[in-house]
Amino acid sequence: MNTIRKCSFMLLALLFCYLSSWGQSSGPYYLSFKKEIVYGGAGAATTLLGNYLRSKTPDLMRSDLELEGINFIDRVATNFSSEKADRLSDKTLLASAGLPLLLLAGRDTRNDFGKIAILFTETMLLNQGLTDIIKSTSLRPRPYVFDENLPPSTILRSNDRASFLSGHTSGSAAASFFFARVFSDYYPDSKLRPYVWGLAIGMPAITGYLRVRGGQHYPTDVVAGYLLGASIGYFIPVLHRKPSQKSKLSWSPTGNGLYLNYRF
């Protein structure tokens, strides 16, 4: 994860260098240097803060484990610890993160991909930072630590109390919803839109299910991660939309003259 963060910071810095000299194309999004400093800076700041808090998270102690404190909805997750599901969730997260690359297939999005890359970097940085901050403040033990078959010699670490919320699910949702929102903004009349949104909704849901089956998270962790990631992935592009250029004044001829309409 540290490597991903370093790459994200490098990409963000590189894109900011080009941003000031780029002209704005005819796409649906408009970037400004000041605005991107705010969004990008917020993403970088939360990521740094989250990473710092995670590094200060104390190790999990056996005395911290209280199964009675797990609500009845989440308790089902304590029965799961599938390594196969855990590994598969890594792959679905990676697949979700790669979805925006499909935008290179379209001419309009390919021509605007530098701009899209900036928005995607902001999205993923902000999502990662907020996810880490929440994990570090909730300190919730992961479900697998309650497994009766867990060897007594198992050494519990700080990451074993990072259950809430699901970072895999939030990351998958952020990338998937970003992809669907951007696709819809560039190609509003495309017949592929229902399939794109279906993919965007389904990928983080599958990832979340696998995280529960893998004993890594409780159902509520997954729901919270889904909502966080989907919100960030959806609204970062929305906040960069160009203002409507449609004229407020419209007119049309009638049989006896001219009809004027002004939209407030």
Side-chain angles (χ1 to χ4, degrees):
M1 188 61 71
N2 288 331
T3 301
I4 295 177
R5 291 195 185 100
K6 290 179 181 178
C7 291
S8 297
F9 281 125
M10 291 176 61
L11 176 60
L12 188 64
L14 179 62
L15 291 173
F16 276 155
C17 290
Y18 283 104
L19 180 60
S20 59
S21 61
W22 278 357
Q24 300 292 341
S25 67
S26 57
Y29 303 132
Y30 183 85
L31 305 184
S32 68
F33 189 76
K34 292 182 179 179
K35 180 185 291 187
E36 306 325 313
I37 285 293
V38 172
Y39 292 140
T46 54
T47 299
L48 287 172
L49 177 59
N51 189 45
Y52 171 77
L53 293 176
R54 289 292 298 274
S55 68
K56 297 298 181 179
T57 300
D59 290 341
L60 179 63
M61 307 298 292
R62 293 284 181 180
S63 58
D64 295 327
L65 304 181
E66 297 180 0
L67 184 59
E68 294 75 14
I70 307 300
N71 64 71
F72 73 96
I73 295 177
D74 287 335
R75 195 167 296 188
V76 64
T78 62
N79 299 319
F80 303 131
S81 58
S82 171
E83 293 184 6
K84 181 178 180 180
D86 186 18
R87 291 194 300 269
L88 189 56
S89 69
D90 292 337
K91 296 179 180 179
T92 57
L93 171 60
L94 184 61
S96 300
L99 285 177
L101 292 176
L102 296 177
L103 295 170
L104 289 170
R107 183 180 61 183
D108 294 342
T109 44
R110 183 168 59 250
N111 292 337
D112 249 5
F113 200 74
K115 184 187 299 184
I116 294 171
I118 293 177
L119 302 188
F120 184 64
T121 301
E122 293 173 355
T123 297
M124 300 309 288
L125 281 176
L126 185 58
N127 179 75
Q128 184 64 53
L130 291 178
T131 296
D132 283 343
I133 291 173
I134 295 172
K135 282 179 175 290
S136 302
T137 54
S138 63
L139 300 178
R140 191 182 196 187
R142 294 184 185 272
Y144 62 75
V145 301
F146 294 101
D147 188 350
E148 296 179 353
N149 297 319
L150 190 69
S153 59
T154 301
I155 300 176
L156 301 179
R157 301 296 188 186
S158 59
N159 188 55
D160 295 316
R161 64 188 316 167
S163 186
F164 188 85
L165 45 72
S166 172
H168 276 63
T169 307
S170 69
S172 177
S176 298
F177 274 72
F178 175 88
F179 164 66
R181 182 67 270 166
V182 171
F183 180 88
S184 297
D185 287 339
Y186 275 89
Y187 308 106
D189 300 321
S190 174
K191 295 181 179 179
L192 294 176
R193 284 187 63 189
Y195 302 101
V196 168
W197 278 106
L199 181 62
I201 293 171
M203 285 295 288
I206 293 173
T207 302
Y209 169 77
L210 292 171
R211 296 304 282 171
V212 174
R213 291 291 302 182
Q216 298 293 321
H217 291 285
Y218 306 94
T220 54
D221 300 337
V222 168
V223 172
Y226 195 114
L227 293 176
L228 175 66
S231 298
I232 295 174
Y234 184 92
F235 283 108
I236 287 295
V238 169
L239 292 172
H240 286 83
R241 282 179 182 168
K242 291 180 179 178
S244 176
Q245 299 298 319
K246 293 182 179 179
S247 174
K248 295 182 177 181
L249 180 66
S250 61
W251 62 274
S252 60
T254 64
N256 298 321
L258 188 67
Y259 173 76
L260 295 176
N261 179 59
Y262 186 82
R263 178 172 54 84
F264 291 92

